[in-house]
Amino acid sequence: IRMQAGLVVETAEAREVHDVALLVGYGAAAVNPYLALDTVGPGGARYIGALEDGLLKVMSKMGISTVQSYRGAQIFEAVGIDREVIDRHFAGTPSRIGGVGLDELGDEALARHARAWSITGDRLPVAGNYRWRRTGELHKWNPPTIAALQDAVRRRDRERFAEFERLCDDEERAHVTLRGLLQLEPGEPVPLDEVEPASAIASRFVTGAMSFGSISAEAHETLAIAMNRLGGKSNSGEGGEEAHRFALDLNGDSRRSAIKQIASGRFGVTPHYLVNADDLQIKIAQGAKPGEGGQLPGNKVDARIAAVRRAAPGITLISPPPHHDIYSIEDLAQLIYDLQCVNPSARVSVKLVSEAGIGAIAAGVAKARAACVVIAGYEGGTGAAPLSSLKHAGLPWELGLAEAQQVLVENRLRDRVRLQVDGGLRTSRDVVVAALLGAEEFGMATAALVATGCVMLRKCHSNMCSVGIATQDPALRARFTGTPEDVVAYFTFVAERVREHLARLGARTLDEIIGRVDRLSARKRHHVKARLDLTALLAPPVAPAHVPRRFARAQPWPLDTHVDRALLPLLDALPARHEAPIANRDRAAGALVSGEIARRHGDAGLPDGSLAVCFVGSAGQSFGAFLAPGVELELVGEANDYVGKGMAGGRIIVRPPPSARFAAEDNVIVGNVVLYGATGGELFVNGLAGERFAVRNSGARVVVEGVGDHGCEYMTGGAVVVLGAIGRNFAAGMSGGVAYVLDAPAAQINAGMVELAALDDRDRELVRKLVAEHVLRTGSARGRHVLDHWDAALKRFVRVAPIGRAKAATREESTWAKSTAF
């Protein structure tokens, strides 16, 4: 498709999903696949269906709902295409490193055509796009490199590890990485014994985020033990973590992941999970699957995984592409503040995707008071995702890291944050190049798994990993042979080799080379595709020499005046009651005290009624965030967004003051994104709530008198009673729990995963008890009317529950109702 003088061709021809996505993204009003259909024949309908599904997937990844919004959006970037081609045929598309022109593209097309007609037999050659094939494209992880690494770590053989690095770093025969086009510029060498020890370098290493669920418990805990021994950090991924891992083993080992992720799915995020972290990582996106979030196929969600994630066994779990509590840098700053309230001793990092414009985002993250920015590249990160997520996604971390470093320095923000990079790092040279481009910490995930026995079968998504790593099958998990010693050996080898590079560069510490792009230069390149413009990588920041190029000072949110400071002494004199005014500058009320309760008592919290607090006024954002069991927060007034975000227990009551002269049931009293990611507790709202109510609720029980659009989206547990109107798209993606809606209009409910039914005896018992407590706690006039006209109201209630799970959901909530006294 050509764009010239602002005009866009209205129709275009396409043969595969990627073509369709690009053409519509450039503005095509119609795409014509019928030339390709001539060769498909009877499979035409399936072919068209595949194109439609593929386009919908691309749109959903980018958070775009309609074709009209996607048309002309141009939300993609070119890698390796000449500027002349871009300007003429793909106007407006970023292409930062130049590349091939029309002549080279034409030569490749003719060469492919010639190869096709020279094939003998009836089978095309296997290209090896996904799995390594001897005659296919080159993969960095191949039999020689895998064998060399595993042999080196098992025999603790330094020479064999050097052979592994030589195989990985050698790009003379085939160019695979951008960093392979760079060479290190040595300085005045220093003696090796003057370089900082390997242990100091190894403390900067982290294992990339791989969730419990995507990989087995054995593999997950092996990585954690190894990194804790080493002084580095393992990353939990976004799947939660079993509480038994927070205690030390008898031999002193720790299975606790130092980095705990908080992603859009909020899987397993409880106060106890949060306080058992050194680093709380907000995953905005991941480099290998930008826009998709985490994916865990249903065949990997067994009872153990489901319990940790607060979900149902056998149900595919997908983190929604957007974080529903992050629509701006201000929202991100609020989540950082919330997490610091729960765990003031942990730093908060934010994971971003390498893409054009990442520098501006990184600057915003720094201003939001994050302590670390993670730059994720396009390699790795697909252990639980379908193969269709591997291609046409993400960019090299080298581009994103270089831009982030340049923008942060130029805006005098670099000294506030550390930069961490991950995505396909394997060797000491990778670490040194990343440091020269600006990174201070380095993530190596796939390499760590290879050290434990991974052989890159590319079957991670199928639950059939034959070496017991990416599977939940007990028989296959029994085959796992990896040890923490193997992982420690790998990272120690890397650190020791980094020391050798530092000595040759004339540096005694890794800090001395951070951001020193002047110590990198472009190699001589002969292959036409390697003749790239590396200016974007090697350009120094436009800033005076005295402006810091690396982290120098922390910038946590101040918590000295937090409203919970008055509550902390009460934990030593329970039960207790407290009353206080509250204003909208008082954010995350209840989060600080909940973190302290979790440290002392775990997720079990306190007995019901141990601490009751009554606030009067207008509460700021995140009222009751991550609330712990045993705490009751009553708000006489109104609340801003994020009420009950991540609450794990306790009770929140919001009601207007007795002097209010408005009808509570007709007025909004709490804001948007209430109960996002809640895992337990109760909420009673005498009034209306905003949009995205109870998104990803997995355990809270709620009564509210009306909600806006997208209520109960992605819900996996709990019970929600709505005594009034609902907005559009109610229950989208709901895979667990149950909702009861009074006078529910079917047109407002997203029926893709739920079914509607009348209430049975168990439902009636549960709803009556919830409404009765709602009236008792809030004095709700609407609730009282429902109870006074119960028989008539029953006929107006509709149960909304996942298809095929409605009865199970009801039984679960009925058990809770019978055990609760009102």
Side-chain angles (χ1 to χ4, degrees):
I1 189 168
R2 294 181 60 174
M3 296 181 62
Q4 291 181 329
L7 299 178
V8 181
V9 177
E10 286 297 304
T11 62
E13 182 186 304
R15 292 175 177 79
E16 52 182 274
V17 168
H18 190 233
D19 294 340
V20 175
L22 284 173
L23 293 170
V24 179
Y26 272 108
V31 177
N32 179 8
Y34 294 105
L35 180 60
L37 277 179
D38 291 342
T39 65
V40 174
R46 290 193 297 273
Y47 174 74
I48 293 292
L51 292 179
E52 291 175 347
D53 289 346
L55 181 59
L56 288 171
K57 177 174 182 176
V58 173
M59 290 168 56
S60 68
K61 285 173 61 170
M62 307 312 298
I64 293 175
S65 301
T66 66
V67 172
Q68 289 90 334
S69 295
Y70 183 66
R71 241 192 108 202
Q74 290 188 240
I75 44 174
F76 29 73
E77 180 171 351
V79 180
I81 298 181
D82 181 70
R83 172 53 55 189
E84 182 180 350
V85 177
I86 292 292
D87 291 343
R88 183 178 180 187
H89 298 281
F90 304 98
T93 298
S95 182
R96 290 177 283 172
I97 56 176
V100 297
L102 291 179
D103 291 341
E104 293 81 13
L105 292 172
D107 290 343
E108 284 206 340
L110 293 173
R112 280 196 299 270
H113 182 271
R115 284 199 305 273
W117 286 102
S118 67
I119 292 172
T120 58
D122 59 355
R123 300 189 67 181
L124 292 172
V126 178
N129 289 332
Y130 296 102
R131 300 174 182 87
W132 178 86
R133 292 295 181 265
R134 189 179 305 276
T135 58
E137 70 174 26
L138 178 65
H139 290 248
K140 284 287 190 178
W141 289 116
N142 53 57
T145 56
I146 292 172
L149 176 56
Q150 292 179 348
D151 189 34
V153 299
R154 288 168 186 167
R155 297 196 293 115
R156 313 295 188 260
D157 187 333
R158 286 179 170 79
E159 292 301 319
R160 190 73 165 120
F161 187 79
E163 172 67 9
F164 159 73
E165 288 208 327
R166 187 190 66 77
L167 291 171
C168 282
D169 292 335
D170 180 15
E171 295 204 8
E172 290 295 335
R173 181 172 63 89
H175 301 292
V176 179
T177 64
L178 273 182
R179 56 190 176 276
L181 304 180
L182 302 173
Q183 63 185 14
L184 306 181
E185 294 294 332
E188 185 67 32
V190 300
L192 186 61
D193 58 5
E194 294 182 13
V195 178
E196 65 178 327
S199 58
I201 295 170
S203 67
R204 298 172 181 265
F205 295 156
V206 303
T207 57
M210 296 173 285
S211 68
F212 173 48
S214 69
I215 62 175
S216 64
E218 292 79 7
H220 208 271
E221 294 179 21
T222 294
L223 294 177
I225 292 171
M227 299 311 288
N228 288 328
R229 288 182 186 176
L230 196 65
K233 295 183 177 72
S234 66
N235 192 317
S236 69
E238 62 168 300
E241 195 164 282
E242 294 175 305
H244 74 83
R245 294 173 57 175
F246 303 155
L248 294 178
D249 291 350
L250 293 178
N251 67 353
D253 276 333
S254 173
R255 299 170 185 265
R256 187 197 75 156
S257 295
I259 303 172
K260 299 286 198 299
Q261 268 199 345
I262 296 88
S264 58
R266 295 294 196 270
F267 294 119
V269 177
T270 67
H272 197 211
Y273 172 85
L274 296 175
V275 300
N276 280 282
D278 301 326
D279 187 320
L280 295 170
Q281 185 177 102
I282 302 169
K283 187 179 87 168
I284 299 295
Q286 56 195 19
K289 305 196 304 278
E292 289 196 41
Q295 301 180 44
L296 191 64
N299 60 359
K300 299 183 82 166
V301 184
D302 61 14
R304 184 178 180 184
I305 303 302
V308 174
R309 295 187 175 225
R310 272 67 173 180
I315 300 297
T316 294
L317 300 176
I318 300 178
S319 292
H323 281 248
H324 289 300
D325 57 348
I326 303 176
Y327 287 98
S328 66
I329 291 297
E330 289 78 10
D331 292 336
L332 176 64
Q334 180 61 47
L335 179 55
I336 293 171
Y337 180 82
D338 299 338
L339 296 175
Q340 285 191 351
C341 289
V342 178
N343 188 351
S345 64
R347 77 173 192 181
V348 179
S349 60
V350 178
K351 186 174 184 179
L352 305 177
V353 163
S354 177
E355 63 176 351
I358 191 176
I361 305 301
V365 170
K367 292 179 180 179
R369 293 182 181 259
C372 177
V373 176
V374 182
I375 310 297
Y378 72 109
E379 291 186 75
T382 55
L387 294 179
S388 61
S389 298
L390 278 170
K391 297 296 181 179
H392 312 302
L395 292 169
W397 56 256
E398 295 92 328
L399 288 170
L401 175 60
E403 182 183 337
Q405 172 76 1
Q406 292 160 12
V407 174
L408 288 171
V409 172
E410 290 166 7
N411 286 274
R412 302 178 185 243
L413 296 168
R414 182 62 179 86
D415 60 332
R416 301 188 192 182
V417 294
R418 288 181 171 87
L419 280 180
Q420 183 182 123
V421 65
D422 75 12
L425 279 76
R426 300 170 184 86
T427 67
S428 59
R429 185 182 187 278
D430 292 343
V431 170
V432 171
V433 171
L436 292 169
L437 291 175
E440 288 149 308
E441 298 177 359
F442 315 91
M444 287 163 273
T446 305
L449 288 184
V450 171
T452 67
C454 172
V455 292
M456 298 297 287
L457 294 175
R458 299 287 191 183
K459 293 183 178 180
C460 307
H461 60 292
S462 69
N463 203 36
M464 297 179 66
C465 174
S466 61
V467 293
I469 293 177
T471 180
Q472 303 307 321
D473 186 317
L476 295 176
R477 283 168 47 201
R479 300 181 182 181
F480 180 72
T481 60
T483 67
E485 290 79 9
D486 294 339
V487 180
V488 170
Y490 165 68
F491 283 107
T492 301
F493 283 150
V494 174
E496 290 172 345
R497 300 272 295 179
V498 168
R499 294 183 70 239
E500 296 173 13
H501 283 292
L502 291 176
R504 286 192 291 272
L505 289 169
R508 290 172 173 81
T509 67
L510 205 54
D511 277 343
E512 294 177 38
I513 68 167
I514 291 171
R516 291 291 306 275
V517 291
D518 58 301
R519 308 304 295 274
L520 288 170
S521 63
R523 292 172 48 197
K524 290 184 178 179
R525 295 151 284 162
H526 303 290
H527 193 285
V528 63
K529 285 194 171 182
R531 297 170 192 166
L532 303 174
D533 179 3
L534 302 180
T535 304
L537 290 178
L538 302 178
V542 182
H546 68 272
V547 176
R549 263 61 173 174
R550 59 184 176 86
F551 174 78
R553 59 191 177 94
Q555 51 159 7
W557 284 100
L559 302 177
D560 296 342
T561 60
H562 193 281
V563 70
D564 282 10
R565 289 293 177 188
L567 306 181
L568 294 175
L570 301 179
L571 296 179
D572 298 320
L574 298 174
R577 182 171 181 83
H578 181 77
E579 295 185 8
I582 194 169
N584 60 13
R585 65 177 175 273
D586 295 316
R587 301 180 291 157
L592 196 67
V593 72
S594 293
E596 183 59 30
I597 291 170
R599 270 182 286 276
R600 299 185 188 187
H601 306 285
D603 276 334
L606 301 170
D608 188 31
S610 295
L611 179 60
V613 185
C614 180
F615 291 108
V616 179
S618 180
Q621 293 176 328
S622 300
F623 182 79
F626 304 107
L627 194 67
V631 181
E632 178 179 291
L633 298 184
E634 181 179 12
L635 174 61
V636 182
E638 60 187 0
N640 214 309
D641 296 340
Y642 320 131
V643 172
K645 173 196 296 184
M647 72 181 295
R651 184 178 300 114
I652 299 175
I653 301 160
V654 185
R655 60 184 179 86
S659 60
R661 292 183 291 178
F662 56 82
E665 63 271 21
D666 296 329
N667 287 271
V668 175
I669 197 171
V670 294
N672 297 319
V673 200
V674 173
L675 289 177
Y676 183 28
T679 59
E682 302 169 1
L683 171 66
F684 300 99
V685 179
N686 185 11
L688 305 180
E691 295 183 359
R692 305 198 183 279
F693 184 88
V695 170
R696 262 294 292 137
N697 174 34
S698 62
R701 295 164 292 272
V702 192
V703 181
V704 64
E705 300 184 358
V707 300
D709 295 344
H710 315 293
C712 297
E713 192 174 18
Y714 303 109
M715 188 163 142
T716 61
V720 174
V721 178
V722 184
L723 301 179
I726 59 173
R728 62 188 176 88
N729 204 38
F730 187 86
M734 180 178 176
S735 62
V738 61
Y740 304 97
V741 184
L742 193 66
D743 298 329
Q748 299 289 81
I749 296 173
N750 187 319
M753 293 181 63
V754 298
E755 57 188 354
L756 312 185
L759 276 60
D760 61 19
D761 290 342
R762 297 188 185 92
D763 296 318
R764 297 185 190 107
E765 178 185 16
L766 172 62
V767 174
R768 186 178 181 95
K769 287 189 175 184
L770 284 172
V771 175
E773 185 171 10
H774 178 63
V775 173
L776 176 66
R777 303 285 184 186
T778 69
S780 166
R782 173 162 290 180
R784 171 54 60 194
H785 180 81
V786 168
L787 293 177
D788 289 345
H789 303 84
W790 182 244
D791 291 338
L794 278 178
K795 300 175 182 177
R796 297 162 53 199
F797 271 107
V798 172
R799 178 183 65 199
V800 182
I803 296 171
R805 295 191 54 81
K807 294 294 183 182
T810 303
R811 283 196 298 273
E812 292 165 6
E813 296 302 332
S814 179
T815 300
W816 167 82
K818 290 179 179 178
S819 66
T820 306
F822 297 101

